[in-house]
Amino acid sequence: MKKIGLILSFFALVMLSGCTKVETTETQKQVTSTESKQDITPAEAKAIAKEAYIYGFPLVLNYKTMYDYAVDKKSPEYKGDFNKLACVARVYTPEDKTIITPNSDTPYCMTWADMRAEPIVFTIPEIEKERFYEVQLIDLYTHNPAYISTVATGNVPGNYLIAGPDWKGEVPKGITEVISLETDFLFSIHRTQLFNPGDIGNVEKIQNGYGVEPLSAFLGTKVPSPAAAIDFPKWKEGAEFNAQSFGYLDFMLTLVETHQEEQALMERFAKIGLGGEGTFDIEKLAPEIQKALEEGVKEGFSEMEEFVKNNTSDPLAAAKIFGTRAFLKKSAKENYNLDEFFILRAVAAYRGIYGNSADEAIYPTYIADGQGAPLDASRNKYIVTFKKGELPPVTAFWSLTMYDGKTQLLIDNPLNRYLLNSPMMDDFVMNEDGSLTLYVQKESPGKELEANWLPAPDGPFYAVMRLYGPKKEALEGKWVNPPLVKAPKIK
């Protein structure tokens, strides 16, 4: 299976009750125990593998981040143990390679939280009114069940108790709000707006005021008994693109709760050995079944790429695939006439994992020029022009970031400039008619216009516009980002 290819993304990129533990349900145990007695044809195995691959892709890719950030201490991307907030007072650069299509607007704080033993408390300090910040809470499925942010909760200090699905304790004093998640593990991303390079000290002070700690530490009470130790499987690079992914999916199913409406799906997956007990071993299957699983993975991946290809013209596509479980289910039916939302969730993870929900940010993306041709800075120079009074409508800020078309990472360039954004407005050179033209090319447009230059690679690329705190006209499609067009040749 190839890694992420040239068909580039338009993506940047609820808690339900009545759940049953996959690894403890009687139905699941029965299916697992009888699986070896069932006969399955290669054709059926292939069809199930395709379904399971699409369903499980976000969980598998999420595990990759978990393993690199919180488990493997030798990983260059390691951030720290579970329940420890790791902050970096810098923006992302081409050296950051774990998360594809990263933003470079907002220095990050991140943590992987384990809430099996007790809830976690997130503390927000005082943040000035004009600065955008957000804490994105992401469950193991890669849903965005809740936010603590400028948009969602305001720039006010507070203590937020984050709990897993089974917590039923009393809410202690000092807690601003209780947020319940459907998984006992969560990944959180703190984004804090950086106004300019000289502002980094102020961002660092805010980061130092963020807190993430177990409830017992927040209260100063006795620490509860720890949850059972977990034997995390070693991550194999590239496993998300082949049938090895099923081993990681089977492991992740031990950490989540399966909704009743998905129990039949789990029983179907069990026919290829996905019992939700973390014991999947493709080598134990017959050779023809192993081959069928690989073929199913290829078909599932192709379906994801086809979905991307068929929806690249929709400027609000990214706004339709990131959000809560309930939002994704609704979006699948209303926007794509789909009975299930799993393909939306998979494509979102594939093309821009951890993308924001629309109310927080949207991501108009450039993957082709105004005539529909692929973007290639080795052959062309490009411009994008905002007419007077038609800059991106936001309550916070906007940016335009460059990505390599092959790696989906940021671009090395002589200016160490990876984006252009609205805090740079005072530096931009405006046109005589009040419009703004940005130059997207591999070479400088000249010293007099260099402030407007977004450096591109010597080859294929794509660019993502981010609107933080998008206004109603952007969310409803009344404002549309202007096209990226080939720059006129100078005679």
Side-chain angles (χ1 to χ4, degrees):
M1 179 65 63
K2 64 180 180 179
K3 198 174 179 180
I4 297 169
L6 188 59
I7 300 177
L8 297 172
S9 167
F10 55 101
F11 309 122
L13 353 147
V14 119
M15 291 69 67
L16 297 178
S17 59
C19 302
T20 310
K21 288 281 187 182
V22 173
E23 66 271 27
T24 59
T25 62
E26 291 302 317
T27 300
Q28 193 66 47
K29 287 181 179 179
Q30 291 169 7
V31 170
T32 303
S33 64
T34 61
E35 189 278 328
S36 61
K37 299 179 183 179
Q38 296 178 5
D39 292 324
I40 184 172
T41 65
E44 186 180 8
K46 179 180 175 180
I48 295 173
K50 177 183 176 181
E51 287 182 81
Y53 181 74
I54 292 173
Y55 177 93
F57 185 87
L59 287 92
V60 173
L61 206 58
N62 210 11
Y63 179 72
K64 178 183 186 296
T65 304
M66 177 196 286
Y67 188 81
D68 281 347
Y69 282 8
V71 177
D72 183 10
K73 292 181 170 58
K74 295 181 180 179
S75 169
E77 302 288 348
Y78 180 73
K79 307 299 181 188
D81 291 338
F82 287 95
N83 304 336
K84 300 292 184 182
L85 185 65
C87 295
V88 180
R90 66 170 180 81
V91 292
Y92 265 41
T93 74
E95 296 303 311
D96 298 285
K97 302 181 186 300
T98 292
I99 294 180
I100 58 173
T101 318
N103 98 47
S104 194
D105 295 292
T106 57
Y108 284 131
C109 294
M110 300 180 182
T111 188
W112 269 98
D114 178 353
M115 302 176 291
R116 292 175 299 155
E118 60 176 320
I120 303 295
V121 176
F122 280 55
T123 296
I124 303 300
E126 188 78 44
I127 299 175
E128 62 267 48
K129 185 178 180 180
E130 63 272 18
R131 189 186 299 275
F132 175 85
Y133 87 97
E134 69 172 22
V135 180
Q136 179 185 6
L137 303 177
I138 306 153
D139 66 24
L140 287 187
Y141 292 102
T142 68
H143 306 141
N144 297 331
Y147 279 86
I148 307 166
S149 69
T150 298
V151 173
T153 56
N155 285 34
V156 293
N159 300 304
Y160 297 82
L161 189 151
I162 318 298
D166 298 325
W167 185 76
K168 296 179 175 60
E170 294 185 6
V171 180
K173 293 182 179 179
I175 294 299
T176 306
E177 183 181 342
V178 175
I179 300 173
S180 297
L181 271 64
E182 66 170 284
T183 65
D184 281 319
F185 288 83
L186 73 87
F187 180 50
S188 71
I189 303 175
H190 291 56
R191 297 178 176 94
T192 310
Q193 182 181 2
L194 177 69
F195 294 133
N196 54 60
D199 184 45
I200 195 67
N202 296 321
V203 170
E204 188 171 12
K205 290 178 182 178
I206 294 171
Q207 289 180 331
N208 290 337
Y210 290 135
V212 173
E213 58 186 337
L215 179 59
S216 59
F218 175 78
L219 296 174
T221 57
K222 182 180 178 181
V223 178
S225 300
I230 296 176
D231 184 14
F232 294 96
K234 183 177 180 180
W235 176 257
K236 295 180 181 179
E237 194 60 37
E240 68 269 38
F241 298 111
N242 57 54
Q244 292 182 20
S245 64
F246 292 133
Y248 297 105
L249 172 57
D250 203 39
F251 169 77
M252 289 293 276
L253 291 175
T254 70
L255 304 182
V256 300
E257 298 187 346
T258 298
H259 293 268
Q260 292 292 344
E261 63 196 60
E262 294 178 5
Q263 282 296 325
L265 193 64
M266 293 300 110
E267 293 175 14
R268 182 166 164 79
F269 292 170
K271 291 181 180 181
I272 61 170
L274 293 171
E277 296 181 345
T279 58
F280 178 86
D281 185 354
I282 193 170
E283 297 297 329
K284 292 183 179 180
L285 302 176
E288 63 270 19
I289 300 301
Q290 293 184 38
K291 181 181 179 182
L293 264 57
E294 291 288 0
E295 291 173 348
V297 167
K298 290 180 181 179
E299 286 199 0
F301 187 78
S302 294
E303 184 169 317
M304 289 160 56
E305 289 200 311
E306 188 67 18
F307 185 94
V308 172
K309 183 179 179 180
N310 292 339
N311 291 280
T312 54
S313 62
D314 183 358
L316 290 176
K320 300 172 183 176
I321 61 167
F322 296 107
T324 63
R325 174 186 286 271
F327 171 83
L328 292 178
K329 291 174 69 174
K330 181 179 179 182
S331 179
K333 290 185 179 296
E334 293 182 353
N335 297 306
Y336 304 101
N337 196 30
L338 297 172
D339 292 330
E340 299 290 355
F341 64 93
F342 307 134
I343 185 68
L344 271 64
R345 191 170 66 185
V347 167
Y350 168 46
R351 291 306 194 181
I353 192 169
Y354 310 136
N356 273 302
S357 302
D359 286 346
E360 293 287 329
I362 60 173
Y363 308 91
T365 300
Y366 296 99
I367 65 170
D369 66 20
Q371 286 70 49
L375 300 172
D376 190 334
S378 68
R379 299 180 179 182
N380 303 295
K381 297 178 180 179
Y382 302 89
I383 59 173
V384 57
T385 300
F386 300 92
K387 295 179 181 179
K388 182 179 180 180
E390 295 186 9
L391 289 170
V394 292
T395 60
F397 70 101
W398 62 266
S399 67
L400 181 66
T401 307
M402 171 64 60
Y403 299 97
D404 185 274
K406 298 176 182 177
T407 66
Q408 293 187 283
L409 301 175
L410 298 168
I411 305 294
D412 274 317
N413 64 83
L415 297 184
N416 292 324
R417 178 186 292 169
Y418 315 118
L419 57 82
L420 298 173
N421 61 21
S422 52
M424 301 168 66
M425 283 298 298
D426 290 342
D427 298 324
F428 289 149
V429 178
M430 307 299 291
N431 299 320
E432 291 184 2
D433 63 357
S435 63
L436 170 65
T437 297
L438 305 180
Y439 298 85
V440 182
Q441 55 193 59
K442 66 178 182 179
E443 297 169 345
S444 172
K447 284 295 182 181
E448 68 281 3
L449 293 174
E450 201 161 80
N452 297 30
W453 177 36
L454 181 59
D458 187 14
F461 71 91
Y462 65 108
V464 175
M465 184 173 290
R466 291 177 168 86
L467 279 63
Y468 289 95
K471 291 184 178 179
K472 184 177 181 180
E473 54 263 43
L475 291 172
E476 294 180 349
K478 295 177 181 178
W479 175 91
V480 178
N481 55 302
L484 189 66
V485 300
K486 294 177 184 177
K489 297 189 182 295
I490 301 176
K491 297 182 179 179

